[in-house]
Amino acid sequence: MENTSKLKEHTDFNFAQGELLLIDKPLTWTSFDVVGKLRNSLKPLKLKVGHAGTLDPLATGLLIVCTGKMTKQIDTFQAEDKEYIGTFTIGATTPSYDLETEIENTSDISHISEKQVHEVAATFLGEQEQYPPAHSAIKIGGERVYEKARRGEEVELKARKVNISAFEIVNVEFPIVHFRIRCSKGTYIRSIANDFGVKLGVGAHLSSLRRTKSGDFDVNNAWELTELIAIIQKNKSLELHK
C-alpha cells in the first residue's frame, strides 16, 4: 500500500475531500480525545473524522486518523498488521494487565533466567487464541466491559484468533523485559504481557507500549498533535479548501 500520509513538508491539506493523517498519540490521551481535538480544530467545517485502530491511554505512538471521504477506508487501514515496542514487568500483576490499575500480586523472580524469557517469547509465534483483558473497550450488552470491570462485575469474554508474526526480546533488565512485537489486528499486547507472566510462572504486566507501525505506515512519519493543530489553525485564513 502506498504511504499517502502528509509529511511535514507538505501542508496543502484538503480535509473535506479526505486526508489520511499519521498522529503520534500522546501519553494519557485516548484515541477518541485525538479525534475530538482534530474535529474541533476543523470547525466550522462539519467533517467525518475517525481513527483506524484504538490505542490505550497509557500507550503512545502511531494513530491513523482519516477525514472526509477518506473515512470510508478506515476498515482497510485497521485490518493491517501492527508493530509495537514496549516493556513487560515480570513478577507483578495488575487487574488491567497494565498500569491503569494498581499492582495486586508480586512474586520472587530470582530463579528466572534470560534464557527462559527468550524461550517463552518463542511460544507466542504463530496463530493462537487470545482472551482480551476484562479492562478493555469491547462491548457486551451495549456496554464497554471495562465499565463492568471497574464496578467489580464478573465479565466472561470469548477468545479470539490472533497471529503473532514477530516477537523479539530486545533487552532484559530484570524485572523489565524490552520487546518488539508484530501482530494481527485485534491483538491485545496487555494480554500477551499477562500470558507471558503465566508461562513464566511469576506473573507480569505491561509497563510501557508504543505503536511504531501499522501496515506500511511508520510513526517516524507521524505528526506531533500540537504541531498539526497549529498548522490547521494557521491555515484557517485560507478557509481550509471549503
Side-chain angles (χ1 to χ4, degrees):
M1 181 183 299
E2 182 183 358
N3 189 328
T4 57
S5 66
K6 296 295 185 183
L7 300 179
K8 295 176 183 176
E9 65 271 16
H10 188 173
T11 57
D12 184 21
F13 294 114
N14 189 331
F15 294 106
Q17 183 63 29
E19 293 289 350
L20 183 150
L21 302 166
L22 305 184
I23 307 296
D24 190 346
K25 189 190 82 65
L27 185 68
T28 74
W29 283 58
T30 68
S31 301
F32 183 77
D33 288 338
V34 174
V35 168
K37 186 74 172 177
L38 284 169
R39 185 184 289 115
N40 288 336
S41 73
L42 291 170
K43 289 178 178 179
L45 292 179
K46 296 181 179 179
L47 294 178
K48 287 184 177 181
V49 183
H51 67 78
T54 302
L55 273 176
D56 289 335
L58 295 182
T60 64
L62 184 59
L63 185 70
I64 296 176
V65 177
C66 297
T67 75
K69 296 178 182 178
M70 189 63 74
T71 57
K72 295 178 181 179
Q73 297 188 42
I74 281 178
D75 287 346
T76 299
F77 298 132
Q78 193 163 308
E80 298 284 353
D81 283 1
K82 313 293 191 295
E83 185 172 288
Y84 300 88
I85 60 173
T87 57
F88 302 147
T89 299
I90 65 172
T93 62
T94 73
S96 61
Y97 303 166
D98 65 2
L99 291 174
E100 181 185 339
T101 53
E102 296 291 326
I103 291 172
E104 60 178 353
N105 293 306
T106 59
S107 300
D108 176 31
I109 65 168
S110 60
H111 61 290
I112 301 297
S113 68
E114 187 169 338
K115 180 182 177 183
Q116 285 175 283
V117 169
H118 284 270
E119 288 174 346
V120 167
T123 67
F124 283 88
L125 291 173
E127 189 175 86
Q128 60 198 270
E129 291 199 334
Q130 181 190 75
Y131 284 93
H135 289 254
S136 64
I138 294 170
K139 284 187 176 182
I140 294 180
E143 186 178 23
R144 302 289 185 187
V145 296
Y146 64 73
E147 294 171 348
K148 296 176 181 287
R150 286 170 181 168
R151 294 196 300 267
E153 297 179 17
E154 290 288 331
V155 179
E156 185 176 346
L157 293 167
K158 295 181 179 179
R160 46 173 69 179
K161 286 187 177 180
V162 299
N163 186 68
I164 312 299
S165 55
F167 192 158
E168 177 188 358
I169 301 300
V170 177
N171 193 22
V172 178
E173 302 171 300
F174 290 119
I176 306 299
V177 174
H178 299 259
F179 66 84
R180 181 186 69 86
I181 289 174
R182 189 165 182 86
C183 55
S184 61
K185 167 192 172 183
T187 304
Y188 280 90
I189 308 300
R190 284 185 287 150
S191 289
I192 293 177
N194 183 73
D195 294 343
F196 195 91
V198 170
K199 290 185 177 184
L200 277 177
V202 295
H205 65 272
L206 182 66
S207 43
S208 69
L209 186 66
R210 180 167 176 79
R211 184 153 68 199
T212 53
K213 294 181 181 180
S214 181
D216 292 331
F217 299 108
D218 194 299
V219 72
N220 289 327
N221 295 323
W223 291 96
E224 294 293 334
L225 183 59
T226 53
E227 183 181 12
L228 179 58
I229 296 296
I231 289 172
I232 291 172
Q233 296 296 336
K234 182 179 179 180
N235 288 349
K236 275 197 171 181
S237 60
L238 303 177
E239 297 187 337
L240 295 174
H241 295 79
K242 284 186 178 179

